Amino acid sequence: MLSDRRQRVLAALIEEYVARALPVGSRTLTERYQLGVSPATVRNELSVLEDGGYITQPHTSAGRIPTDHGYRAFVDNLLAADFTGEDERYRPVVDELRRSASELDALLEQTSSALTRLTDCLSIVLAPSVLNLHIKQLSLISLNAYRALVVLVTEDGQVFNRQMEFAEEVCSDDLARVQAFLGDVFTGKSLQQIEDGLGQGMAEAFRDPLVRMALDEVLSCLQESELSRAHRLGVSSLLTKPEFSQSQALLPVMQVLEDDTVMLHILDDAVRQGDGTPSVRIGRENDAAELAGVSVVASRYGRGESAGVVAVIGPTRMDYSKVLRAVRIASAALQDV
């Protein structure tokens, strides 16, 4: 546990390093920050922080830079701070986001855009999990004897569709029969509830090949849609950072983030957080080695099981205070979707 003075020195060093991306010396801290102590005391505190692994000296004659451990101590102090009253300060931003978009996807896209503007980092907004959306209507529309269209409408107005093809002719009466059965089973339930209930007295009905095929198409349609409905903006912002000024430095990061399965795993911390507190993974705290140079700040939004995620990804040298504030704003804007 760092003393208050060491926390102030560490916070000043991180603020300076975030602003300039250059190693920070004791003279800089003494001249630019009101730390209330002598230069000799600052030098001594920097030595203690270095011994504790909070900062490091990249070159013998250079100043210090924060380590992942130092960022973690700094962020933990930010997360422990009292944010009471901040919601009202940012209410105009939240209201403007909600007014500017009448449909969910448009709101998610504009929220992602706002996150990028506020943080100058990569932003990701994941729609609420389709596995927890409740189904309002299922239609099977015959296109010809060998092809049909599955159309699914959720209670919040989202529409999913997918074509299915048959090896043998299927008449419209058979499609109508399957539609009526699946409609009775699906209506008012979430996909997760349907999947959980397949083994509870319904196995016999789903042995019908046409019923099984239609169900498989519905599951595939929704699962693919869940992974594709991620709104990402700000890759160009990352290219402006000194850490990624060479595009080959950013390439491994983007390759990992383009893998939807990996991305969902990265954001899993936020999904599990039930109290609205943002989760922060710093550098090597990320499971993927390619993400050792970035931090991920994420928060869930929505209510109950139907929750999405807002996230910001940037270099470990990000402005954590600004990013945490922006993520809170975005989460508040999407809270009631």
Side-chain angles (χ1 to χ4, degrees):
M1 183 68 178
L2 292 174
S3 66
D4 288 344
R5 186 166 68 193
R6 285 171 191 160
Q7 287 179 10
R8 290 198 305 274
V9 172
L10 177 62
L13 184 143
I14 289 176
E15 182 178 339
E16 183 68 17
Y17 184 63
V18 166
R20 303 178 189 276
L22 294 171
V24 183
S26 58
R27 178 178 296 179
T28 298
L29 293 179
T30 302
E31 292 175 351
R32 296 181 180 170
Y33 297 87
Q34 301 297 319
L35 297 174
V37 294
S38 68
T41 300
V42 172
R43 287 194 295 272
N44 181 65
E45 296 293 22
L46 289 175
S47 295
V48 173
L49 288 169
E50 186 172 3
D51 290 342
Y54 295 93
I55 59 178
T56 188
Q57 197 169 22
H59 308 288
T60 304
S61 59
R64 275 88 163 187
I65 64 174
T67 63
D68 288 355
H69 185 48
Y71 284 126
R72 169 50 60 193
F74 177 68
V75 167
D76 286 347
N77 284 334
L78 286 177
L79 291 173
D82 184 6
F83 287 99
T84 303
E86 279 210 350
D87 288 347
E88 288 308 312
R89 286 177 55 195
Y90 303 123
R91 179 61 57 188
V93 180
V94 172
D95 290 343
E96 177 58 30
L97 280 172
R98 288 175 173 168
R99 279 197 304 269
S100 62
S102 58
E103 296 182 358
L104 176 61
D105 278 338
L107 178 58
L108 298 182
E109 188 74 13
Q110 294 200 22
T111 301
S112 181
S113 178
L115 267 178
T116 297
R117 290 197 309 273
L118 290 169
T119 65
D120 199 28
C121 292
L122 172 66
S123 70
I124 299 175
V125 179
L126 288 181
S129 172
V130 295
L131 293 178
N132 294 312
L133 296 177
H134 285 72
I135 295 167
K136 181 179 181 180
Q137 181 179 341
L138 169 68
S139 299
L140 301 179
I141 302 170
S142 178
L143 301 177
N144 57 49
Y146 295 93
R147 183 177 296 174
L149 183 68
V150 180
V151 180
L152 197 64
V153 181
T154 62
E155 289 185 351
D156 68 349
Q158 296 184 60
V159 180
F160 306 97
N161 63 79
R162 186 180 175 92
Q163 288 192 26
M164 59 180 183
E165 297 184 354
F166 314 116
E168 300 177 354
E169 290 189 12
V170 174
C171 68
S172 56
D173 287 345
D174 285 337
L175 281 180
R177 172 180 57 81
V178 173
Q179 175 181 308
F181 170 71
L182 292 180
D184 289 340
V185 172
F186 281 26
T187 301
K189 295 180 181 177
S190 70
L191 181 58
Q192 190 66 64
Q193 290 171 329
I194 293 165
E195 288 185 323
D196 292 343
L198 288 180
Q200 301 174 6
M202 297 171 60
E204 186 65 33
F206 282 100
R207 287 201 179 100
D208 183 320
L210 189 56
V211 171
R212 184 73 240 180
M213 185 177 186
L215 176 63
D216 287 343
E217 293 297 339
V218 169
L219 298 180
S220 297
C221 175
L222 290 176
Q223 288 163 351
E224 287 176 7
S225 297
E226 178 177 31
L227 293 175
S228 67
R229 297 181 68 238
H231 299 261
R232 314 178 203 193
L233 293 172
V235 174
S236 60
S237 296
L238 292 186
L239 286 170
T240 67
K241 309 300 181 187
E243 295 89 340
F244 304 120
S245 57
Q246 301 297 319
S247 59
Q248 60 265 31
L250 184 59
L251 183 59
V253 175
M254 296 314 302
Q255 287 175 333
V256 169
L257 295 179
E258 285 172 1
D259 185 328
D260 287 311
T261 303
V262 173
M263 187 181 69
L264 291 173
H265 178 67
I266 291 169
L267 301 180
D268 191 48
D269 280 354
V271 174
R272 291 199 302 264
Q273 291 273 48
D275 59 359
T277 302
S279 68
V280 183
R281 284 192 179 185
I282 299 170
R284 290 179 176 81
E285 294 175 359
N286 291 296
D287 293 335
E290 295 86 348
L291 301 181
V294 304
S295 290
V296 182
V297 179
S299 178
R300 65 177 285 162
Y301 67 86
R303 303 184 184 281
E305 295 180 340
S306 189
V309 177
V310 296
V312 168
I313 299 176
T316 53
R317 187 192 56 83
M318 67 164 58
D319 187 335
Y320 290 95
S321 179
K322 180 190 291 184
V323 170
L324 283 167
R325 189 175 295 114
V327 166
R328 286 170 57 84
I329 292 171
S331 179
L334 297 171
Q335 188 60 34
D336 297 321
V337 300

